[in-house]
Amino acid sequence: MTKRVLITGGAHRLGAQLCETFAQAGWEVWCHYHRSAEAADALCARIRAAGGLIYSVQANLHDEAQRCRMMGDIVAHSGSLHALVNNASSFEPDAAESMDVDGARSQLEVNLVAPLALSSLMVQDQIALTGSDDKRGTLCILHILDQKVFNLNPDYFSYTVTKLALERAVALQAQALAPDVRVCGVAPGLMYVSGPQSIENFERASRVNLMRKPTDPVQVAASCLFLAQNPCITGVTLTVDNGQHLVPLPRDVMFVVDELMKDRDGR
């Protein structure tokens, strides 16, 4: 039986890598996108050319009606999902002392409410796999988090709050949805140029971890696939960050690196 997975924010960056990794493993992949139709189409064409099975589906994750419509379309086309990877994320700068309330609400909707709502819709669409020990735990929900939830600093305040809440939801959902559905989190390190970063900043910041090298998105995606396929793991968050969460900093790493570069250059 071919397993089906929905990957939100699947058209770019880690989402695209997740789509490729699951497709290569023989899953039927649903690549969600919001505005990136062209990128999603190109990704689907590339994966299909390599023999993978993938479809794209559009939805604004801010909108509950669109979330419901997306899940309904998937079920109507292929049947219920076996896995959901909540990868889509809103990453906007703000601070505790000057919080953008509307922006915070927007990030809350995408980063926390949408993953929990999609999880609920997935469970409602599934037939409970009770009475069969060998099938229990074959359904999985994965939340893509951030090493920042284990290595706090106050930058990107609202984003961090939403990811902290989602990390706590991992255990709560695992308890609530057992024994039929497993829930895990994956907390990556710095993988891509982010926010206002320059390439030079990224090259330096991505090495501020115990392994002194950037986090490889291929390995993050492989870790997600492993969790999706291992029926014995639930309620935990796996850090895939080269040990970045064990290198505490007073600010986000990109700003620390900028300050060091300014000191070096005498500016």
Side-chain angles (χ1 to χ4, degrees):
M1 179 185 68
T2 300
K3 292 186 175 182
R4 288 174 291 279
V5 59
L6 169 63
I7 297 167
T8 65
H12 293 290
R13 294 160 65 101
L14 179 60
Q17 183 61 60
L18 286 162
C19 288
E20 291 188 0
T21 297
F22 275 81
Q24 289 167 3
W27 289 62
E28 176 184 312
V29 176
W30 285 82
C31 170
H32 157 266
Y33 68 93
H34 180 198
R35 298 187 180 94
S36 304
E38 185 175 344
D41 288 345
L43 175 67
C44 289
R46 184 168 70 250
I47 290 175
R48 288 173 189 143
L53 180 58
I54 185 169
Y55 304 96
S56 63
V57 59
Q58 191 278 337
N60 179 356
L61 295 183
H62 281 88
D63 189 319
E64 175 64 7
Q66 292 194 37
R67 295 193 293 253
C68 292
R69 186 265 305 157
M70 174 177 67
M71 296 295 277
D73 287 349
I74 294 171
V75 172
H77 184 280
S78 296
S80 298
L81 293 169
H82 298 89
L84 166 65
V85 183
N86 286 303
N87 169 70
S89 190
S90 177
F91 181 69
E92 300 295 337
D94 71 347
E97 66 273 18
S98 56
M99 192 174 79
D100 175 356
V101 174
D102 288 339
R105 287 196 181 103
S106 177
Q107 292 189 84
L108 182 70
E109 190 72 31
V110 174
N111 297 350
L112 178 63
V113 176
L116 299 182
L118 291 174
S119 299
S120 178
L121 290 169
M122 173 185 165
V123 172
Q124 291 169 30
D125 285 333
Q126 273 290 355
I127 297 173
L129 300 178
T130 55
S132 176
D133 288 349
D134 62 333
K135 291 185 178 179
R136 285 178 178 166
T138 57
L139 308 181
C140 185
I141 295 166
L142 297 177
H143 298 311
I144 304 300
L145 302 168
D146 191 315
Q147 64 81 33
K148 190 174 168 67
V149 301
F150 301 112
N151 187 9
L152 290 177
N153 64 71
D155 290 317
Y156 290 88
F157 181 76
S158 295
Y159 165 83
T160 304
V161 169
T162 64
K163 289 296 186 178
L164 284 166
L166 189 59
E167 190 277 328
R168 289 291 78 198
V170 168
L172 290 174
Q173 283 188 306
Q175 292 172 321
L177 303 181
D180 299 323
V181 181
R182 297 180 298 109
V183 184
C184 296
V186 175
L190 187 56
M191 296 177 286
Y192 303 98
V193 174
S194 181
Q197 272 188 313
S198 65
I199 296 296
E200 182 182 12
N201 180 288
F202 172 78
E203 287 298 324
R204 291 173 177 268
S206 63
R207 299 176 186 279
V208 182
N209 56 60
L210 298 185
M211 299 293 101
R212 302 292 189 266
K213 62 181 182 179
T215 299
D216 185 353
V218 172
Q219 296 302 326
V220 177
S223 299
C224 292
L225 179 64
F226 166 74
L227 290 173
Q229 296 185 149
N230 190 318
C232 294
I233 303 176
T234 192
V236 300
T237 294
L238 181 64
T239 51
V240 189
D241 66 347
N242 290 333
Q244 185 181 348
H245 69 287
L246 298 175
V247 184
L249 297 171
R251 298 202 63 193
D252 189 275
V253 63
M254 74 175 80
F255 301 129
V256 172
V257 168
D258 269 345
E259 291 166 4
L260 290 174
M261 291 168 65
K262 288 177 181 178
D263 291 342
R264 180 203 66 183
D265 297 336
R267 294 196 300 269

